[in-house]
Amino acid sequence: MRGLFGFLILQRLFGNPFIALFVLLVLYSLIDMRFVGLLPDLSKPFRQAGAVRRLKQTLELNPYDANAHLELGTILAEKRRWAQAAEHLELAAKRLDNSQSYYGLGTAYFHLGRLDEGKEALQKALQMNPKVGYGEPYVYLAEYQLKKGGSLDELEGLDEALAQYGSVDVLYRIGRLYEEAGDRDRARNMYEEALETYKGYPGFLRKQQRRTALKAWFKARLAA
């Protein structure tokens, strides 16, 4: 009702319903970005594009800049350009030999279907730094376990990792994997735990994880 009222005011102000609708959508996007967090960040693609241009220029001047390869590979992975991301992350991992580069590389490999290589890279990352990715590597390792016909109970360190580093996103995704494996009780427990974790977050983190928390809430109700 408020949205309709606002639209009518803007339509009268601008004299054009299409301009009024556009302005209303922009205003709602800004409010959501600042306070709610349900809509995608519309400015993110522009920030990423600027960063990609800058990093490519850096690599043109110095193709051996491993940190630039790592940053560029990470951004390309966020954009789901997995093949390009893997190329840069391979170079970063070779030169930096650190947990962050192997973590990014393992993730890219998994999305490219190179599961064994992905598992190896993620395990190497966790050996270097058990905190890397704050539990996300275990989501991929759990997926690997299921695809290879194993059980999540066989995945060493999963429970400990979830207890220490389980974010709303990680707990939700593990819940999805339990659901795929047919274990509805554990799936529901993961969704409920994701919601409890969300409640303990400060405001700015709640905004970032609100969409995932909402999905966890629906999943928990469906799995009940």
Side-chain angles (χ1 to χ4, degrees), residues 13-88:
L13 180 65
F14 291 105
N16 186 309
F18 298 105
I19 295 177
L21 181 60
F22 175 76
V23 172
L24 187 65
L25 290 173
V26 169
L27 289 173
Y28 182 78
S29 297
L30 292 173
I31 292 170
D32 180 89
M33 189 185 304
R34 179 66 180 86
F35 299 106
V36 184
L38 289 177
L39 294 177
D41 183 354
L42 299 180
S43 66
K44 187 175 181 179
F46 299 100
R47 295 198 308 272
Q48 288 177 328
V52 167
R53 285 194 299 270
R54 172 179 57 80
L55 290 164
K56 284 183 176 180
Q57 290 171 356
T58 298
L59 290 171
E60 284 178 5
L61 296 172
N62 181 10
Y64 301 102
D65 188 333
N67 287 305
H69 279 294
L70 174 58
E71 189 178 350
L72 180 55
T74 301
I75 294 173
L76 290 170
E78 290 176 2
K79 294 168 71 67
R80 306 185 71 81
R81 290 158 59 178
W82 301 111
Q84 295 176 50
E87 291 178 10
H88 291 283

Side-chain angles (χ1 to χ4, degrees), residues 78-209:
E78 290 176 2
K79 294 168 71 67
R80 306 185 71 81
R81 290 158 59 178
W82 301 111
Q84 295 176 50
E87 291 178 10
H88 291 283
L89 292 166
E90 283 168 354
L91 291 168
K94 189 178 296 183
R95 295 190 174 99
L96 295 174
D97 194 35
N98 63 10
S99 61
Q100 197 64 37
S101 57
Y102 282 112
Y103 160 57
L105 182 58
T107 301
Y109 280 158
F110 263 93
H111 285 280
L112 290 169
R114 298 163 63 176
L115 302 185
D116 292 329
E117 293 171 279
K119 177 188 176 184
E120 183 180 348
L122 290 178
Q123 287 180 329
K124 193 165 187 176
L126 288 169
Q127 288 171 2
M128 292 178 168
N129 179 12
K131 295 182 180 180
V132 67
Y134 297 101
E136 186 176 20
Y138 285 92
V139 176
Y140 291 101
L141 293 175
E143 183 180 351
Y144 177 91
Q145 197 79 5
L146 292 178
K147 285 185 176 180
K148 294 296 182 178
S151 165
L152 295 188
D153 291 329
E154 300 169 2
L155 181 55
E156 185 178 350
L158 175 62
D159 292 337
E160 293 83 354
L162 293 178
Q164 293 183 63
Y165 316 120
S167 65
V168 173
D169 182 66
V170 167
L171 291 166
Y172 170 76
R173 290 163 67 187
I174 291 292
R176 289 293 304 270
L177 290 174
Y178 273 124
E179 191 171 354
E180 288 176 17
D183 194 335
R184 292 174 63 86
D185 289 336
R186 284 191 176 179
R188 184 175 62 253
N189 289 340
M190 286 292 107
Y191 297 141
E192 295 289 357
E193 194 170 338
L195 292 172
E196 287 301 314
T197 301
Y198 173 77
K199 291 176 184 177
Y201 277 177
F204 74 97
L205 280 179
R206 283 194 183 193
K207 188 182 75 170
Q208 293 174 10
Q209 296 290 322

